[in-house]
Amino acid sequence: MASFSQWIEGARPRTLPNAISPVIAGTGAAAWLGAAVWWKALLALVVALALIIGVNFANDYSDGIRGTDDVRSGPLRLVGSKLASPRSVLTAALLSLGIAAVAGVVLAALSAPWLIAVGAACLAGAWLYTGGKKPYGYLGLGEVAVFVFFGLVAVLGTQYTQALRIDWVGLALAVAMGSLSSAVLVANNLRDIPTDKESGKITLAVRLGDARTRVLFQLLLAVAFVLTLVLIAATPWCAVGLVALPLAVRAALPVRGGLGGKDLIPVLRDTGLTMLVWAVVVALALAF
C-alpha cells in the first residue's frame, strides 16, 4: 500500500506550476483591463489544480494498466510500481476531475454559462490524453493539447471570467504560458524516449528523435522571452519578465548538454519555476 508521501509524489507536484502560472497570468491580464476579481481567480485556481492532479492520476492509471510504466526512469508512478491498485488511482483521478468540474461549473455559471462546454472539452482532453482506445498522447499530440488547455484556455479563460473580454495582452500571455507548459512535457518525453519506444508510446519526442526534441525544448523557452519584449508595448514594466531568464538557462543546460534519463528530472523543476516566476512578475507589472 502506498504511503501518504508516495500518493503526494504520484500526484506529481512538480507539474503544479503548469496549473498555477496560467491563472496568475490570466488574472494579470484581467487586472490590465481593470477588471481583476480575486474570488474568481481563486475558483479558476481550484479548477486548474484539480484538473492537473486529475490528469496526473489518470495518466498513472492508464499508462499503468497498459504496462507503459513497467520500466521507467522518471518520477514515481503508483500503478506501474505496484504501490497502489489501478482502481484506487482511478478513484483519485475521478475525484480530482470531479472537483475541477464542480468548481468550473460554478465559475462558468457566475461568468458566462457557455464556458461549461469549454470545461467539458478540458475534462475530455484530460482523460483521453492516455485513456481510451486511441489516446492522443500516444500519437504525438500531447504538446499540442498542453499548449491549448494550459496555455490558451487557462489564461484566456481566466481573463474572460473576470473581465468578460480578452485582448492582445491576454493572448500574448497565453502563448507564453502554453509554450512554457509544453516545454515541461517535451522535457518529460525527451527523458522517456527509450522506454516509450519499447512500449509503443509514440510521443512527439519519439517522432522527432533526441536531437530535434532538444532543439524544440529550447525554442519553446525562447518564445516566452520574445513575448516579454512584445509585452513591453503594453507597459515597459513587463521587462521585469526577463528576471526569469537565468532559470530558463539553468533548465536548458542539461538539455543542451545531451544529458538523459534521471539527469533530466531537474529540467522539469527548473522549467516549472521559470514559468511561475515569469507569470508572477509579468502579472504584477500589468496590475500595477
Side-chain angles (χ1 to χ4, degrees), residues 72-74 191 260-266:
R72 182 173 172 82
S73 60
R191 182 200 64 221
K262 291 185 177 180
D263 292 330
L264 288 175
I265 293 177

Side-chain angles (χ1 to χ4, degrees), residues 50-144:
L51 186 63
I52 200 165
I53 291 171
V55 168
N56 290 338
F57 280 132
N59 292 349
D60 192 312
Y61 167 77
S62 296
D63 284 343
I65 62 173
R66 282 190 170 90
T68 307
D69 289 337
D70 288 350
V71 179
R72 182 173 172 82
S73 60
L76 174 74
R77 287 294 183 97
L78 295 166
V79 176
S81 61
K82 307 296 191 294
L83 287 170
S85 69
R87 180 181 291 273
S88 63
V89 176
L90 175 60
T91 300
L94 294 178
L95 179 61
S96 299
L97 294 176
I99 293 171
V102 171
V105 167
V106 172
L107 182 59
L110 295 173
S111 305
W114 60 266
L115 287 172
I116 293 175
V118 177
C122 292
L123 290 173
W127 178 256
L128 295 174
Y129 174 52
T130 56
K133 293 182 178 180
K134 292 185 178 180
Y136 64 83
Y138 282 54
L139 302 174
L141 297 174
E143 286 79 3
V144 175

Side-chain angles (χ1 to χ4, degrees), residues 17-18 21 177 180-181 184 270-280:
N18 294 58
S21 303
M177 287 293 97
L180 290 172
S181 198
V184 174
D270 292 337
T271 308
L273 284 174
T274 300
M275 179 166 39
L276 186 58
V277 170
W278 191 91
V280 168

